[in-house]
Amino acid sequence: MVSFMNNQKQQKPTLSGQRFKTRKRDEKERFDPTQFQDCIIQGLTETGTDLEAVAKFLDASGAKLDYRRYAETLFDILVAGGMLAPGGTLADDMMRTDVCVFAAQEDLETMQAFAQVFNKLIRRYKYLEKGFEDEVKKLLLFLKGFSESERNKLAMLTGVLLANGTLNASILNSLYNENLVKEGVSAAFAVKLFKSWINEKDINAVAASLRKVSMDNRLMELFPANKQSVEHFTKYFTEAGLKELSEYVRNQQTIGARKELQKELQEQMSRGDPFKDIILYVKEEMKKNNIPEPVVIGIVWSSVMSTVEWNKKEELVAEQAIKHLKQYSPLLAAFTTQGQSELTLLLKIQEYCYDNIHFMKAFQKIVVLFYKAEVLSEEPILKWYKDAHVAKGKSVFLEQMKKFVEWLKNAEEESESEGEEGD
């Protein structure tokens, strides 16, 4: 029994001692990238600035060197020529190489060639993808530590890599760093980046990439809070030669403002707010976000129609619709002060009645109600009937409107002849 316990006691320190040694050895290797750096820099010095040779050397070295562990060191060297200290400066006592992005020529063609080097390397060693993304995020946070020329090269390179899919647009998050934004570094960097990105693809592809990572509505954050306006963004990027980006952001803001308006409008209606308050709110939003009345009437119509649970029976839905729309006529009338707004509303009614099959027979009744309630007037109705309608359900709706249109024409002729007699 004693002998058994003695054996146990003797085994314990041996086991823990072995474990301790292994862990220590791993740590030493993990935090000693100098030897790795020396191998890469020596190899790059031998290849020279021939980027084809650089790509081949990196491809072959991945079999011998631990890219997985020293990914950050590898990318620091390829971008800056050596290991970067916090803040973006090169460590003084370290080896460095001129075969890197920062020592290359400052032009798009050279950066496209470097992009190919990174592309080939990451395609060959797929596990480097995450490390490279982390590296670029870090480099963007270090922008203030780089010269203007180095920033320009990095911006062009990043734009190309975003265009070819090597990088994900989420890396742009680093540009929203408060200090970079405050000093104007983020906006200046974004100009070069977007120029090279759009040059490789087009604004639609750029927009799709931004949307995928919910970055499409955040571009104004490249500026300090007191300058986050569509006007400032548009002026800055248009003057920098990026008119298409300015227009894209303006459109995004408009779409965002319209969605917000519709959401708020539906909430106000469901609460039963007085129409005068709703009208005042909508008019303020129109002015603030530069939304034209024909657009607003479409939003008001959609909001009015979405506040009710419609009857599934065709014979009952028309009666329900007339009752509901009669109640909301004063609200709709406030936003049909222009002929174009009336025409827009007519087209919205046509599309709604076509898309919602139970409403097919209700179209004429709705138009007549709006005519009586002075939401719609003769001229836009006649124009819609003649040539401004859309194809959806055209034959059905024109047939429905035939008698009413004839009555309108006769009424118009009568009033004209009465006017002539009065003269």
Side-chain angles (χ1 to χ4, degrees):
M1 181 74 179
V2 173
S3 159
F4 174 71
M5 285 176 73
N6 283 344
N7 284 346
Q8 272 198 321
K9 280 177 186 171
Q10 284 164 3
Q11 285 172 353
K12 277 182 182 173
T14 317
L15 286 170
S16 62
Q18 283 174 335
R19 234 187 346 257
F20 183 66
K21 276 182 193 169
T22 309
R23 190 164 62 240
K24 203 167 183 186
R25 190 171 72 243
D26 283 350
E27 281 181 15
K28 192 179 174 194
E29 284 179 16
R30 184 174 290 121
F31 292 109
D32 186 18
T34 315
Q35 200 179 349
F36 175 86
Q37 177 186 243
D38 293 350
C39 291
I40 294 290
I41 288 180
Q42 192 183 337
L44 290 175
T45 307
E46 286 167 16
T47 62
T49 52
D50 175 2
L51 293 184
E52 278 292 322
V54 168
K56 282 175 187 167
F57 160 71
L58 292 170
D59 189 292
S61 298
K64 294 173 280 185
L65 299 172
D66 196 346
Y67 280 0
R68 195 184 290 273
R69 180 171 289 167
Y70 298 118
E72 186 178 0
T73 305
L74 174 65
F75 292 129
D76 274 0
I77 296 165
L78 291 174
V79 173
M83 280 198 293
L84 290 168
T89 53
L90 279 170
D92 291 333
D93 55 341
M94 293 290 183
M95 281 179 73
R96 58 184 69 190
T97 174
D98 284 339
V99 185
C100 64
V101 171
F102 283 178
Q105 273 184 269
E106 190 186 324
D107 60 61
L108 188 56
E109 199 178 333
T110 306
M111 291 306 111
Q112 285 166 333
F114 262 101
Q116 281 306 307
V117 173
F118 287 105
N119 218 353
K120 285 173 185 171
L121 178 63
I122 288 158
R123 274 212 309 266
R124 175 75 175 84
Y125 300 103
K126 197 86 172 117
Y127 58 80
L128 285 173
E129 209 169 59
K130 175 78 171 67
F132 185 53
E133 209 161 277
D134 291 342
E135 173 75 9
V136 176
K137 286 177 186 173
K138 179 191 82 173
L139 291 169
L140 297 187
L141 290 173
F142 286 175
L143 286 178
K144 278 167 67 183
F146 305 144
S147 70
E148 190 183 346
S149 174
E150 288 168 348
R151 290 202 288 257
N152 289 344
K153 291 170 201 172
L154 183 59
M156 287 188 272
L157 175 72
T158 307
V160 176
L161 292 167
L162 282 163
N164 67 27
T166 306
L167 285 174
N168 182 293
S170 61
I171 55 111
L172 298 175
N173 257 319
S174 295
L175 290 179
Y176 300 132
N177 172 277
E178 195 181 339
N179 292 325
L180 295 176
V181 168
K182 196 164 67 179
E183 296 190 26
V185 174
S186 293
F189 186 86
V191 167
K192 293 280 181 189
L193 181 148
F194 279 110
K195 273 188 176 174
S196 73
W197 191 356
I198 292 167
N199 180 65
E200 295 289 309
K201 292 279 189 179
D202 60 32
I203 190 64
N204 297 324
V206 171
S209 298
L210 292 170
R211 250 195 320 274
K212 211 176 280 182
V213 293
S214 305
M215 206 70 82
D216 48 333
N217 290 315
R218 293 192 60 196
L219 292 179
M220 281 206 288
E221 292 173 42
L222 292 165
F223 297 102
N226 63 340
K227 290 180 179 174
Q228 284 178 19
S229 68
V230 179
E231 286 66 33
H232 182 77
F233 187 99
T234 305
K235 186 173 185 292
Y236 184 90
F237 280 93
T238 302
E239 283 174 3
L242 280 163
K243 192 163 186 277
E244 58 256 79
L245 186 69
S246 299
E247 284 171 358
Y248 167 71
V249 166
R250 188 179 282 282
N251 289 340
Q252 283 301 108
Q253 283 298 110
T254 307
I255 291 163
R258 290 172 190 182
K259 281 181 183 170
E260 197 52 46
L261 173 61
Q262 180 146 4
K263 189 180 159 202
E264 179 58 31
L265 204 47
Q266 285 168 349
E267 283 175 16
Q268 289 180 3
M269 287 177 190
S270 60
R271 285 198 306 263
D273 290 5
F275 286 161
K276 63 175 176 38
D277 295 349
I278 297 177
I279 290 165
L280 190 65
Y281 163 75
V282 174
K283 286 189 172 173
E284 279 172 2
E285 289 298 302
M286 283 170 73
K287 194 176 176 184
K288 188 168 84 181
N289 295 298
N290 202 20
I291 310 175
E293 191 186 79
V295 171
V296 168
I297 192 61
I299 294 169
V300 175
W301 164 261
S302 301
S303 303
V304 166
M305 295 308 276
S306 66
T307 57
V308 97
E309 189 73 43
W310 295 110
N311 202 304
K312 295 287 185 283
K313 292 182 179 173
E314 194 176 26
E315 63 273 14
L316 298 174
V317 83
E319 191 184 329
Q320 186 190 6
I322 296 304
K323 192 178 175 185
H324 178 68
L325 291 169
K326 195 171 188 177
Q327 182 192 341
Y328 280 94
S329 288
L331 180 62
L332 289 151
F335 302 102
T336 53
T337 64
Q338 304 166 12
Q340 190 54 48
S341 306
E342 293 183 54
L343 206 48
T344 300
L345 178 58
L346 277 160
L347 293 170
K348 291 286 179 190
I349 301 166
Q350 181 185 350
E351 284 171 4
Y352 188 91
C353 291
Y354 178 79
D355 293 338
N356 298 274
I357 193 107
H358 300 313
F359 280 80
M360 284 294 278
K361 290 181 180 174
F363 177 78
Q364 185 262 3
K365 292 185 174 78
I366 294 170
V367 176
V368 171
L369 166 74
F370 283 166
Y371 174 74
K372 288 178 180 173
E374 296 186 352
V375 176
L376 296 171
S377 54
E378 296 91 343
E379 205 176 314
I381 295 172
L382 294 173
K383 183 166 176 50
W384 172 87
Y385 186 83
K386 187 184 175 189
D387 55 22
H389 48 260
V390 288
K392 290 182 171 183
K394 179 177 84 169
S395 55
V396 176
F397 298 139
L398 290 178
E399 184 57 40
Q400 277 183 34
M401 290 290 289
K402 202 172 175 183
K403 285 183 180 173
F404 181 60
V405 165
E406 281 171 11
W407 178 84
L408 278 180
K409 283 178 179 171
N410 292 335
E412 203 173 30
E413 282 165 16
E414 279 174 28
S415 64
E416 277 173 14
S417 62
E418 279 172 16
E420 282 166 15
E421 282 169 24
D423 288 345

